Amino acid sequence: MDIFGIKGLLICALIFIPFEHLFAERPQKILRKGLGVDLIYVLLNGLIVKGVIILIAANTLEAAAMLVPRSVSRAVGGQPIWLQVAEIILITDIGVYWAHRAFHEIPALWKFHAVHHGIEELDWLGAFHSHPVDAMVTKAISLTPIFFLGFSEASIAVFSVIYFWHTLLVHSNLRIPFGPLKWLIASPQFHRWHHANQREAYDKNFAGQLPFLDVVFGTYNATGNRVPEKYGVDDPVPSSYFGQIGYPLLPRAKRSNRAVPDIEALQPARTSQDQAATGAVDIVR
């Protein structure tokens, strides 16, 4: 039994490494900085997230059995698979959007999410590089409604495959033009600008799969074909796995300048569009 998902990791590597070499957005070595730590995240976080999903499903299904009329769950689970998958993508990504945004806006949560933004050389493995608390909270918020409403096992399985591969894609170092689909489907270009350590990229592009959510909520960052100058955060995150796990828990740990902007200093540089999107209240990390 491959509990660590090593076979899946090898399959992903055989697909993404050659393509990232042939169609790279920016030059980057295969054995790049932080590779070893990312592999540890793949092995350990995979176990943690699987366990959390099982717990979420068990508890939610138990609650749903008592609270949700059977007629509702039968109606939801009886829809065509393709329609259920489309609904799951929408519902979960709304949850991902607001959970993700909360991890940026709430200082205590940003400490955990900063671990993900500490990536300085971004590729497909970055999809796994998240603090366990970050991953668990996001999964709980996004998946609970799915199990509660009674979507079928088959539709959830299809969604899981789509979500997994799409998450790897948006973190990849691939230059892929999405054309008009960029408003509907998150691309690597869309997500790498969420990771960019540049002022115009801060607190933008929160959606995991559906960029139009950022358009609707005023956090979309249109960048054309530009490539970010750099990734990461201003204050360095520890380079080791256990250093990163403990980083948010240290009472005296420094937080990135991105997380605590000088609101007065930033005020003159803000555009009217930014003010409308935030309701004249700065979004802080």
Side-chain angles (χ1 to χ4, degrees), residues 12-203:
C12 294
L14 289 172
I15 293 173
F16 279 97
I17 291 177
F19 276 97
E20 287 188 331
H21 177 72
L22 294 171
F23 307 104
E25 176 65 83
R26 54 194 296 161
Q28 190 166 283
K29 296 178 180 179
I30 295 175
L31 300 178
R32 44 88 175 160
K33 179 181 179 180
L35 176 64
V37 173
D38 283 349
L39 291 175
I40 296 175
Y41 273 105
V42 173
L43 300 178
L44 297 186
N45 272 24
L47 281 176
I48 294 171
V49 170
K50 288 175 185 175
V52 168
I53 291 176
I54 291 172
L55 288 174
I56 293 171
N59 287 285
T60 304
L61 291 173
E62 183 178 349
M66 297 184 291
L67 300 174
V68 179
R70 291 185 61 84
S71 58
V72 173
S73 58
R74 282 197 298 266
V76 171
Q79 298 176 103
I81 296 295
W82 67 267
L83 182 57
Q84 290 188 65
V85 172
E87 292 169 350
I88 292 173
I89 291 174
L90 177 59
I91 294 170
T92 56
D93 214 41
I94 290 173
V96 166
Y97 176 92
W98 287 108
H100 194 177
R101 190 164 174 173
F103 270 98
H104 280 252
E105 294 185 9
I106 301 172
L109 293 181
W110 166 252
K111 293 180 181 180
F112 294 97
H113 193 58
V115 171
H116 184 61
H117 277 272
I119 301 171
E120 296 181 357
E121 296 188 62
L122 189 65
D123 62 19
W124 63 280
L125 278 171
F128 302 97
H129 189 124
S130 296
H131 195 285
V133 171
D134 186 350
M136 289 187 293
V137 172
T138 301
K139 292 294 183 186
I141 292 174
S142 61
L143 292 178
T144 296
I146 303 308
F147 295 116
F148 191 78
L149 292 172
F151 285 95
S152 68
E153 293 182 9
S155 64
I156 294 175
V158 172
F159 161 76
S160 298
V161 172
I162 294 173
Y163 181 84
F164 175 80
W165 287 102
H166 185 243
T167 302
L168 267 59
L169 175 65
V170 298
H171 285 89
S172 68
N173 184 33
L174 285 171
R175 187 174 185 84
I176 305 176
F178 272 44
L181 290 177
K182 69 179 182 179
W183 302 103
L184 180 62
I185 304 172
S187 66
Q189 173 75 359
F190 170 84
H191 192 68
R192 70 172 55 99
W193 271 97
H194 176 73
H195 277 267
N197 190 9
Q198 297 171 222
R199 179 61 239 173
E200 68 268 32
Y202 297 169
D203 305 313

